[in-house]
């Protein structure tokens, strides 16, 4: 009797994300650029205010509603909510938040966000890839230089996946068009509808691998130097070969990132309340309400917009309380940038470590293997940097 074949089972390991100051700086830069992008895009694209909602909030909400809603993928509403929570402004649904923009404006927003993500996530992934493989910390400038110099590859990988998905989606649409041919349509549908289902399956696989596997794709490009197709191949291989390990790692990283974001928000809120309570002793109860709240209220008025990188309203303050508003605003804004920068760096770093875990499990490649600038890459296996003392990698 033949022995039962051994099946390789998934090994679940928690991603490890070491604190790295360069990654934190890149995350802070990326989050700040992301936040400042929306007002700039709203101004460039001439987005109108609708229902009293600021144009940039309406643009951001409408963009994610349209793009994520159009894909029809599961859990995209959670991604929408996560983006809103990281921006410190809750995105609300409803017609008042839809500025009714033409499709090309959404395309402009999508292209810019992809470029920004490629630069920032590519730089953070590179920092963590070198740290994981060589236990070295490269500078934020070196990480940015790497991502910018390889920006073409970082952009081509997701665009290639999107183009392939669009092609098969077009084939499914063509099947529908053939089924509508007068007379012959119902007979052609017998063949065309199964073909449309096959095309839709390919589209779904490409969309899931491209959207949910995008951080791993960035990590592959930051680790290897074998080009766009190799990064796409590795991403889909790892995501679909070890889906349980990948999903568990993504969930763990996302949950921890959410806890860090909540902890940072609570830290800022507690500091604000404590300072307002402590400053209330100097208020004059007999003074008009605005004047009575000038001291403690100045802290509140400065901290609230600082948490969302808005500009404080100081019209009701005169003299020294104006300074309290701006000091509270500046310190709160800085703390918010640092907290959200760390959340972003942790998320990208966790997915980079996930890539290394999956690469070892699927391809058996050691964690010390990483591409080093100046060395030539092969299509067979990634390159390892020479140890500090020389010798074979």
């Amino acid at each position: 009797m033949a022995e039962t074949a051994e099946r390789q089972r998934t090994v679940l390991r928690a991603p490890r994300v070491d604190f790295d100051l360069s990654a934190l700086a890149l995350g802070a830069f990326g989050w700040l650029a992301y936040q400042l992008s929306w007002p700039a895009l709203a101004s460039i694209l001439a987005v109108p205010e609708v229902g009293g909602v600021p144009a940039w909030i309406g643009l951001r909400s409408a963009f994610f509603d349209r793009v994520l809603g159009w894909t029809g993928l599961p859990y995209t509403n959670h991604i929408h909510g996560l983006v809103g929570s990281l921006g410190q402004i809750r995105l609300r649904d409803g017609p008042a938040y839809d500025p009714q923009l033409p499709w090309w404006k959404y395309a402009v927003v999508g292209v810019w966000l992809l470029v920004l993500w490629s630069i920032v996530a590519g730089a953070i992934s590179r920092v963590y890839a070198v740290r994981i493989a060589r236990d070295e910390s490269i500078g934020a400038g070196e990480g940015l230089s790497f991502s910018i110099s390889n920006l073409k590859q970082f952009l081509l990988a997701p665009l290639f996946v999107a183009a392939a998905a669009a092609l098969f989606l077009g084939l499914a649409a063509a099947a529908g068009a053939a089924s509508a041919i007068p007379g012959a349509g119902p007979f052609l549908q017998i063949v065309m509808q199964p073909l449309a289902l096959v095309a839709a399956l390919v589209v779904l696989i490409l969309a899931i691998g491209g959207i949910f596997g995008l951080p791993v794709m960035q990590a592959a490009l930051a680790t290897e130097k074998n080009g766009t197709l190799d990064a796409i191949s590795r991403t889909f291989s790892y995501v679909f070969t070890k889906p349980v390990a990948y999903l568990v790692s993504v969930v763990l990283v996302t949950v921890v990132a959410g806890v860090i974001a909540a902890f940072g928000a609570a830290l800022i809120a507690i500091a604000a309340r404590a300072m307002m309570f402590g400053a209330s002793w100097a208020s004059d109860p007999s003074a008009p309400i605005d004047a009575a709240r000038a001291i403690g209220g100045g802290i509140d008025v400065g901290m609230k917009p600082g948490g969302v990188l808005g500009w404080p309203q100081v019209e009701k303050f005169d003299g020294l309380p104006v300074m309290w508003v701006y000091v509270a605003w500046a310190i709160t804004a800085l703390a918010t940038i640092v907290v959200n920068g760390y959340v972003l760096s942790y998320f990208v770093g966790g997915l980079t470590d996930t890539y290394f875990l999956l690469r070892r499990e699927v391809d058996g490649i050691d964690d010390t293997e990483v591409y080093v600038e100046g060395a030539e890459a092969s299509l067979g296996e990634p390159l390892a940097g020479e140890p500090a003392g020389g010798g074979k990698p």
Side-chain angles (χ1 to χ4, degrees):
M1 184 175 177
E3 293 184 3
T4 304
E6 293 186 1
R7 296 173 60 199
Q8 184 179 5
R9 297 191 178 273
T10 297
V11 179
L12 300 179
R13 300 175 183 174
R16 172 184 169 184
V17 185
D18 296 325
F19 177 80
D20 190 285
L21 193 58
S22 297
L24 172 60
L26 289 168
F29 164 76
W31 185 82
L32 180 61
Y34 170 79
Q35 287 294 100
L36 297 180
S37 293
W38 293 107
L41 288 169
S43 177
I44 294 171
L45 298 176
V47 178
E49 288 191 8
V50 180
V53 177
W56 68 273
I57 295 181
L59 174 63
R60 187 174 69 175
S61 181
F63 174 79
F64 286 107
D65 278 339
R66 291 289 180 87
V67 174
L68 296 179
W70 182 84
T71 62
L73 294 174
Y75 304 110
T76 49
N77 58 324
H78 298 293
I79 298 176
H80 187 188
L82 177 62
V83 172
S85 64
L86 289 181
Q88 300 295 311
I89 289 182
R90 188 179 302 277
L91 299 177
R92 290 176 285 177
D93 300 322
Y97 275 73
D98 188 355
Q100 298 292 332
L101 301 177
W103 68 267
W104 67 266
K105 292 190 177 183
Y106 292 115
V108 170
V109 174
V111 169
W112 166 245
L113 292 181
L114 178 60
V115 171
L116 181 60
W117 170 262
S118 299
I119 294 174
V120 175
I124 296 175
S125 293
R126 180 60 181 175
V127 168
Y128 276 108
V130 175
R131 187 175 185 88
I132 293 169
R134 298 166 63 88
D135 197 23
E136 298 175 2
S137 180
I138 63 175
E142 186 175 345
L144 275 178
S145 176
F146 178 89
S147 63
I148 292 174
S149 62
N150 293 278
L151 183 59
K152 180 180 178 181
Q153 284 72 30
F154 281 113
L155 291 175
L156 282 180
L159 288 177
F160 180 87
V161 174
L167 174 63
F168 281 93
L169 188 63
L171 293 177
S179 300
I181 296 176
F187 300 99
L188 292 175
Q189 186 177 357
I190 299 174
V191 178
M192 291 301 174
Q193 188 164 353
L195 291 179
L197 289 172
V198 173
L201 175 62
V202 176
V203 171
L204 186 61
I205 292 173
L206 290 172
I208 291 175
I211 294 176
F212 293 100
L214 181 59
V216 173
M217 195 180 300
Q218 303 291 331
L221 290 165
T223 305
E224 326 292 352
K225 190 62 175 179
N226 296 333
T228 301
L229 294 180
D230 177 76
I232 296 173
S233 174
R234 288 177 183 272
T235 298
F236 279 80
S237 173
Y238 298 165
V239 170
F240 290 104
T241 302
K242 300 293 181 182
V244 175
Y246 177 73
L247 286 175
V248 169
S249 295
V250 171
V251 169
L252 285 175
V253 171
T254 303
V255 168
V256 174
V259 170
I260 295 172
F263 181 85
L267 172 68
I268 296 172
I270 291 173
R273 291 177 182 176
M275 289 191 67
M276 289 178 61
F277 175 78
S280 62
W281 70 270
S283 299
D284 182 4
S286 64
I289 187 66
D290 291 338
R293 294 178 177 175
I295 298 177
I299 297 174
D300 182 47
V301 170
M303 282 187 165
K304 283 184 177 178
V308 296
L309 299 188
W311 196 250
Q313 303 295 325
V314 296
E315 291 81 4
K316 295 183 179 180
F317 296 90
D318 295 317
L320 195 58
V322 174
M323 180 178 176
W324 292 331
V325 172
Y326 284 119
V327 170
W329 172 82
I331 294 177
T332 304
L334 179 60
T336 301
I337 292 171
V338 171
V339 168
N340 287 280
Y342 183 64
V343 172
L344 178 58
S345 67
Y346 183 92
F347 180 78
V348 177
L351 270 295
T352 302
D353 192 62
T354 297
Y355 172 78
F356 275 83
L357 291 174
L358 295 175
R359 187 177 67 159
R360 168 179 280 188
E361 190 170 341
V362 175
D363 293 333
I365 301 175
D366 191 75
D367 288 352
T368 58
E369 304 277 344
V370 67
Y371 169 73
V372 178
E373 295 286 352
E376 293 185 4
S378 67
L379 291 176
E381 48 186 45
L383 298 173
E386 280 195 12
K392 274 191 173 186

